[in-house]
Amino acid sequence: MNAEVEASIRQNILWPRVSQNVKQILGSSQREYEKLVVVFSVKNQLRYKGNIVRTIRKDERKYYEDLLKYSRDHLMLYPYHLSDVMVKGLRVTPFAYYTSIMMDIMSQEKSYDSLPNFTAADCLRLMAIGRNQYIDIMNQCRSSRKFFRRRPVKELLPRQPVESVVIDHWWIVQTGYIVEEDIKICSVDEKKAIDRIIDRGPNTAGDMDFTVLHSLYRKGLVYLDVPIADDDFIVVPPLEGFVMNRVLGDYFETLLYKIFVSIDEHTSIAELAKVLEIDLQLVKNAVSMFCRLGFAKKKGCDANFDNLHESWKNIEQMSIMAKKPTQDQLLIDWGSTINDLISPVQMSSPDSCSLEGAETSGLINSGHSKRIAFLFDSNLTAFLMMGNLSPGLKSHAVTMFEVGKLNDESLDSFLAELEKVDSVAEGEAQRYFDHAIRLRDTIRFLRYNKDITTDPDCYGTGHGMDLLRCESLLGLDPSTCSRVLNKNYSLLVSVAPLSNEIRPVSSSVPQHIGPAIPEVNSIWFKLFIYHLTGNGPLSLLLVKGTKLRRLPRAFQEYDRLLITTWGHDPAVIPTSNILLTLNDALSHSAILVQAHGWVQHEGQDAYVPFPLLLDDRTDSLSLEQHSAVQRLDECVDLRHTCGYVTMLRTGQKSRVRRTEFVKPGNLYRSDAIGQNINDDPETISCFSDDLFSPKEPTEAGEISEQNFGQEADSTRPKDRPPEAVQAATAGVDSNPPFSPNRSKLVLDFSSSTTRGRPSSAVSSDAGSVEDEWVLLDCCFGIPLFNATVNQQVCHRIAVQKLCDKESLTELMHSNRKLTNDLLAFVSLHQVCRWLHRRSLHLEDILKFGFFSLASVLLL
């Protein structure tokens, strides 16, 4: 539905007052507008009274029946905010609603995974039907055939809500649809309770007899409201009873996930609605659902048994209320969680000297203040879930994935579970264990560390810390995400590397120590740093739709290649039989092919941590002194941010002859903009059979006009214009010292200088390092995959005071410059020849995988 049309419906604007633009969109059809009003109201479970739908649908009961049918058919959550109508008017209780859903999907023999996450969690709460119970009922239904007839599904389902259904003392009890036959089956105490509610109005659950209340609820004679006030504060503990099936994507589920990642116990409901710019009543409905499902608690509503009915005192142990779903009821065996918060065991940190000021949150966290946000992706939660690392760890991992956040208040118990993780495992499991241990060390380093603070006067003991999942933040629109981050956090720190499949969060307020913009986490950035430094492995970028007849001869010499499809993480693949893999991937994505391993046991990676040291005490043979790293430092600023540079040793000595240093800001030549990469119209459509021919070897660093074609056969449509690729007319600096020759795609590495010094000044050992190692990648953030790199990065963050105001100011300037240079580089190379006359946005071009860098070779 069009956004303007939806806004008009939300604002209850009648057709005569609809804007002309909306009328034009709908073809001036009032009937079409009214049809959309009904559809929108039903999909969003809007109340009949108080909304525009009442002027179109005259039968209120029929409207609610249609709403209920749509919700049931689409497996949506029960509309608890309409309970007064659904229970009193239609006599459809939540239990009856979910029973009909279960009957429908079981009759159609659908899998348990077809239930959306929150719907499955509510079914589990009321009916105690999890994955294993669902499978068991399905098997009984199939095996109980008599005379070719199945046993009805309804007979196998529970007849009442389970006895363990949770009712909190502050919930409100309302009478349901009660007829004379219902009164006949009630006990004397139950009749008195019903009369009391009818005579005096709704009762608080804590004022009623606990046993009587449960009995009435299970019989469907009363229903429960979960009241939320404007000034209430909500706490989200680690999730219990959550079922990870699938995401439905309806309006209410989307709202639930937005509030999940935004809510905290220091923000009132009214403030949260204002930050999210969402209707206050919708936010209340969502928070009420969280409390009903047990995923959140109202702050300050702990039970005081002296003020409750005496029957509640007899269940002080809360055996019913504290009963959690058993492992066989859940989708995944999450294991049992710790019942009490255990004080974390002291341990050695990545940088013991920098942790002298670190204290436990229990001693410091007396009031709310801005915190550090540690940004991670879904890969980290997958490692914590799959490794069987600790009995209680997976509930925290589920919270990190589904809620998208783990608050500072939950980190003590989280660290206690991480402390139980062993340091040694077998096979691939070692990778999961390593990430868990490094995460523990990093949290201890960043959290309440006096050396990691943006304002020592206000935060002398350091900041608290929240863990935030990038994908959950991306579910918010950019302006809302910015408001949420700015309200709660003084600094953002990313894990490194983040998956190429997500767009990292970019923020200047608060400052972000991580990727400056999402393009830094893409293939573009690799090409950019190769361009800046004149250094990198043998690399070939192929546009989407290219068909290779055979692997270029230069790559045939290597045993393994590093293959990166656009928007995905790279993978090392053996050269044998790689052609089919490449052609299959090229049908749907652009691909970067890079040399990785010369022989079977080569292809070694090494990591250079940064921020780089401020002095020159590093060994001359260290990779930190490699010319490519030094050049990258001057171009990108590796002194005021953290991360690591990946260097690659393929086993084949580099044939690159270094070029004159490319100064930042002078990357392009103005007269090259808009010119052709190659005057030959066939250079993009095919590769020459003579490419890398041994008969007439091509000079290092040069791809000649004649040799740029016929090893590949492009799938260019016949109607595609044959002109050569055009570059975007971006405003960039003029007179650069380094620019590709547009008549022969040449990368000139003929200069013999290295960062202003003659190559003869380098010792023979240092020269060996220069020749054997090449620049592969640069990642920003704190790495978790390697203990040594993690410790070095954390140590340098503290020693070089990266979080000081002066350093963060320098980082802001350098990030702004990097952003401008990188986007200018992308603009120069992104537009294809058949699109250069069309007005397209960057997202449109990236969506189709079109690039003017049809192929780039660094020899």
Side-chain angles (χ1 to χ4, degrees), residues 34 147 298 432 469 500 759:
E34 292 178 349
F147 302 105
K298 188 186 291 189
Y432 311 146
R469 189 170 73 101
N500 289 342
S759 58

Side-chain angles (χ1 to χ4, degrees), residues 777-830:
D777 202 357
C778 179
C779 296
F780 297 91
I782 298 181
L784 300 181
F785 65 91
N786 184 286
T788 302
V789 180
N790 176 269
Q791 292 170 2
Q792 291 179 346
V793 169
C794 291
H795 173 78
R796 296 183 184 196
I797 288 175
V799 170
Q800 300 192 201
K801 300 186 181 301
L802 246 60
C803 298
D804 286 359
K805 288 184 177 180
E806 296 78 7
S807 178
L808 291 177
T809 301
E810 291 293 331
L811 175 62
M812 180 180 66
H813 295 317
S814 60
N815 278 349
R816 186 174 300 164
K817 187 176 185 309
L818 172 62
T819 298
N820 293 335
D821 288 343
L822 178 55
L823 292 180
F825 177 83
V826 173
S827 297
L828 180 66
H829 294 291
Q830 69 178 341

Side-chain angles (χ1 to χ4, degrees), residues 48 60 238 243 269 287 332 456 493 547 551 564 570 657 722 763 775 844:
Y48 184 83
E60 181 178 357
V243 182
I269 300 301
V287 173
I332 300 175
V493 182
K547 288 293 183 182
L551 191 66
T564 308
R657 286 180 287 177
S763 67
L775 175 65
D844 299 325

Side-chain angles (χ1 to χ4, degrees), residues 14 37 106 146 161 334-335 349 373 385 413 515 614 674 703 723 740 774:
L14 297 174
V37 168
M106 287 183 174
K146 295 183 179 179
W334 301 123
S349 67
M385 290 180 190
S413 60
L614 297 176
I703 306 172
E723 295 84 20
V774 294

